[in-house]
Amino acid sequence: SSITQALRTIMLLPSWLLSLSFLCGLVSSQIDPNYAVNLTLYHVNPANYSGIKNMNTADAIGDAFFDLQSRMSPLICANKSQHHWPGQCSNPEVIAKDLAITRVLVQVDSRYGPYGRCNICVDGTVPMSNPPQPCKDGTYHCVCGGWHKSAPCNGSVGREDIYQIFGYKPRKGSSKYSYYLYNLVRRLKGSWYSTTEEGEGKYWQLLEEEEKVDAGCQIEALDASLHSLSPNCFDGCPQPHNRTSECVVDCAYKAMLGDKAGEKVTTFDGLSGKEITQLWVGAFDSCIVNGTTANGN
């Protein structure tokens, strides 16, 4: 057959030529050194997953935003509010019981492409795909293109400016959650990234999975910092440590963004974006120091 003949031809080639061909193949699949940059990124997902293939990651600012805006989800989803986006109330990266936060070192080709919305398959459908695409529950998939018509992602690393997506000033009469979200993104901004399976080795490579901590530990450490910023507000709640209660959620955002953050745009009240990020990263680092990793080691 033609395949057999091709294999025989390859076997007759000199070993030096085969080695050269192999090396050329490796070089062609490597990241172009003229555009290679190393990024320290974070990712929140269920603890049983590893790597970043077909996943979203973020810089420290971007993951702080993802994590902190998720504090509103229990209240928004419980009330069946219209102020949430598709998948917010069913995203395993938000609602799973065994969440972990991972810090990774990634080398990427800085010629960024379209951002892929990468999520875990739920109910046999790729989240945010339109028209709906079938998938196996528990597997990661990325969707590019618009919200109304999705498209396949290419291999390039996608990057999203968070402010461009969430930085819409609330209109008069908007809910307090709209103001919390806007005030938070105005201060943090940050970037989200997508790394698809097709681009591994050519557009991105995972250099190191530096630390992986239990998200519950990080949340408790961050809660302690927020309580210390506004103890009277939290102590006035019927359940001061129930972070799913409306009172505690309000106190958390007011501690970060100012007492009027749920009513208007705040600029100088509360913490700066840098200070909020430092609190979030500090809570992550405290779990490493205390030995509370995602494996419990």
Side-chain angles (χ1 to χ4, degrees), residues 167-187:
Y168 292 96
K169 186 176 180 179
R171 297 178 180 178
K172 185 176 180 180
S174 295
S175 72
K176 62 182 175 182
Y177 303 117
S178 296
Y179 279 102
Y180 287 152
L181 185 68
Y182 180 69
N183 283 317
L184 185 66
V185 75
R186 279 184 76 240
R187 299 191 192 196

Side-chain angles (χ1 to χ4, degrees), residues 75 79 176-177 237 242-251:
L75 297 176
N79 295 332
K176 62 182 175 182
Y177 303 117
C237 296
N242 178 7
R243 66 178 65 94
T244 64
S245 77
E246 185 171 1
C247 181
V248 171
V249 170
D250 286 339
C251 289

Side-chain angles (χ1 to χ4, degrees), residues 2-290:
S2 58
I3 296 177
T4 302
Q5 184 63 38
L7 289 173
R8 287 174 178 172
T9 302
I10 292 173
M11 292 175 65
L12 292 174
L13 290 173
S15 59
W16 65 267
L17 183 58
L18 287 172
S19 299
L20 180 61
S21 299
F22 176 73
L23 289 174
C24 289
L26 284 180
V27 171
S28 65
S29 65
Q30 290 179 342
I31 298 172
D32 188 329
N34 294 315
Y35 299 97
V37 295
N38 291 351
L39 301 175
T40 296
L41 303 174
Y42 294 80
H43 183 46
V44 181
N45 64 349
N48 59 305
Y49 291 90
S50 60
I52 60 170
K53 187 184 301 183
N54 290 336
M55 297 183 187
N56 293 138
T57 52
D59 54 23
I61 306 171
D63 220 34
F65 171 77
F66 177 82
D67 188 23
L68 292 170
Q69 62 82 26
S70 296
R71 287 177 173 246
M72 290 183 275
S73 295
L75 297 176
I76 292 174
C77 298
N79 295 332
K80 297 183 179 180
S81 169
Q82 297 302 310
H83 301 290
H84 59 78
W85 52 92
Q88 182 183 11
C89 300
S90 59
N91 186 356
E93 294 185 346
V94 175
I95 66 174
K97 302 297 184 183
D98 61 340
L99 290 176
I101 305 174
T102 308
R103 181 160 58 199
V104 296
L105 181 63
V106 187
Q107 186 174 83
V108 305
D109 186 318
S110 58
R111 293 171 292 182
Y112 299 109
Y115 177 74
R117 302 180 292 276
C118 304
N119 291 281
I120 299 172
C121 177
V122 177
D123 296 330
T125 302
V126 176
M128 303 185 189
S129 60
N130 190 9
Q133 301 174 16
C135 57
K136 180 181 178 181
D137 281 0
T139 57
Y140 265 94
H141 300 268
C142 299
V143 173
C144 288
W147 290 96
H148 300 292
K149 187 177 182 180
S150 53
C153 300
N154 59 32
S156 59
V157 175
R159 183 173 67 174
E160 187 88 283
D161 181 336
I162 298 173
Y163 187 76
Q164 290 185 357
I165 301 300
F166 297 97
Y168 292 96
K169 186 176 180 179
R171 297 178 180 178
K172 185 176 180 180
S174 295
S175 72
K176 62 182 175 182
Y177 303 117
S178 296
Y179 279 102
Y180 287 152
L181 185 68
Y182 180 69
N183 283 317
L184 185 66
V185 75
R186 279 184 76 240
R187 299 191 192 196
L188 289 177
K189 298 182 175 65
S191 298
W192 290 347
Y193 298 85
S194 58
T195 44
T196 62
E197 182 176 358
E198 293 79 9
E200 186 175 13
K202 185 176 182 180
Y203 292 103
W204 67 271
Q205 59 180 337
L206 179 61
L207 299 180
E208 183 181 0
E209 188 173 277
E210 296 181 346
E211 293 93 10
K212 188 173 187 176
V213 305
D214 178 73
C217 170
Q218 196 267 357
I219 289 172
E220 289 182 3
L222 184 58
D223 281 349
S225 296
L226 294 176
H227 279 245
S228 68
L229 291 173
S230 186
N232 292 336
C233 184
F234 285 100
D235 290 343
C237 296
Q239 296 176 298
H241 298 285
N242 178 7
R243 66 178 65 94
T244 64
S245 77
E246 185 171 1
C247 181
V248 171
V249 170
D250 286 339
C251 289
Y253 281 103
K254 289 177 181 179
M256 291 185 289
L257 306 170
D259 289 340
K260 301 294 183 180
E263 305 171 24
K264 64 178 185 178
V265 177
T266 57
T267 302
F268 302 108
D269 297 341
L271 306 177
S272 67
K274 182 178 180 180
E275 290 170 330
I276 294 172
T277 304
Q278 288 174 337
L279 282 183
W280 191 87
V281 174
F284 178 95
D285 290 338
S286 72
C287 295
I288 301 170
V289 173
N290 294 331

